[in-house]
């Protein structure tokens, strides 16, 4: 019976040592697993077509008619956005949204991780748009993959982290603050 606390303590020490050896150490909570969030977005929005970074990169290279819609607040968009993106804040009215998005063009929507853009994709589908895809992982995945970003000041690597919690899905070197 007296051996149980010793075994538990030994397991805790082994777990801490493993975390340190594998680079987790004091940074274990510094970055959350974006892939887990992407899976959550897929489950929450099953009727939305989701694409990954490679697919977005191919779409941008292959088709000039693709419109890229940034579904974040203007403050986030100003820090950085995907090249050529148009900002349509999540609280925009349906009329404002439809006025900015050409109905006959394929549309990629994104936000920070894919949640707000999935909601926008649902709204666009409800309005009859069938050529809309959500970028799962969104600008955080794009930045984490070291893809090009732009801002009003030119090329940048910084991304608005949304807030302290959500920003942990973004590599520290890309967090604007």
């Amino acid at each position: 019976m007296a051996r149980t606390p010793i075994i538990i303590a030994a397991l805790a020490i082994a777990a801490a040592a493993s975390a340190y050896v594998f680079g987790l150490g004091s940074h274990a909570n510094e970055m959350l697993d974006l892939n887990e969030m992407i899976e959550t977005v897929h489950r929450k929005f099953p009727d939305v077509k989701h694409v990954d970074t490679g697919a977005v990169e191919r779409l941008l290279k292959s088709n000039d008619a693709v419109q890229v819609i940034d579904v974040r607040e203007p403050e986030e968009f100003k820090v950085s956005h995907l090249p050529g993106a148009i900002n349509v804040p999540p609280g925009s009215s349906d009329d404002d949204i439809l006025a900015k998005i050409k109905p006959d063009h394929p549309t990629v929507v994104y936000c920070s991780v894919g949640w707000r853009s999935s909601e926008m994709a649902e709204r666009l589908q409800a309005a009859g748009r069938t050529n809309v895809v959500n970028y799962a992982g969104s600008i955080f995945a794009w930045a984490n993959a070291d893809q090009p970003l732009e801002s009003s000041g030119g090329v940048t690597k910084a991304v608005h982290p949304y807030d302290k919690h959500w920003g942990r899905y973004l590599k520290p070197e890309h967090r604007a603050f």
Side-chain angles (χ1 to χ4, degrees), residues 34 37-45 48-51 69 71-72 76 109-122 133-142 162 166 169:
L34 184 56
M37 176 52 65
I38 291 169
E39 290 174 16
T40 301
V41 169
H42 283 262
R43 284 192 304 274
K44 174 68 177 164
F45 301 96
V48 172
K49 182 177 180 186
H50 302 280
V51 295
I69 307 301
V71 186
R72 297 179 300 149
E76 296 172 86
V109 293
Y110 76 91
C111 58
S112 295
V113 298
W115 196 276
R116 293 176 285 177
S117 52
S118 290
E119 290 173 340
M120 180 67 71
E122 283 185 334
V133 296
N134 175 58
Y135 176 15
S138 289
I139 197 168
F140 287 5
W142 189 260
Y162 187 72
W166 290 100
Y169 288 104

Side-chain angles (χ1 to χ4, degrees), residues 87-103:
N87 185 223
V88 179
S92 299
S93 72
D94 287 350
D95 289 340
D96 286 343
I97 294 165
L98 296 173
K100 289 184 179 181
I101 300 174
K102 299 172 186 163

Side-chain angles (χ1 to χ4, degrees), residues 14-93:
S18 294
Y20 182 79
V21 168
F22 290 105
L24 300 175
S26 64
H27 301 291
N29 291 322
E30 189 169 295
M31 187 173 168
L32 298 175
D33 186 357
L34 184 56
N35 290 324
E36 289 177 12
M37 176 52 65
I38 291 169
E39 290 174 16
T40 301
V41 169
H42 283 262
R43 284 192 304 274
K44 174 68 177 164
F45 301 96
D47 296 330
V48 172
K49 182 177 180 186
H50 302 280
V51 295
D52 63 12
T53 301
V56 171
E57 186 178 21
R58 287 187 299 278
L59 280 168
L60 294 177
K61 287 181 180 177
S62 69
N63 190 343
D64 292 337
V66 171
Q67 41 192 356
V68 181
I69 307 301
D70 185 307
V71 186
R72 297 179 300 149
E73 297 298 334
E75 307 81 55
E76 296 172 86
F77 183 81
K78 287 177 189 172
V79 172
S80 66
H81 48 270
L82 273 65
I86 299 166
N87 185 223
V88 179
S92 299
S93 72

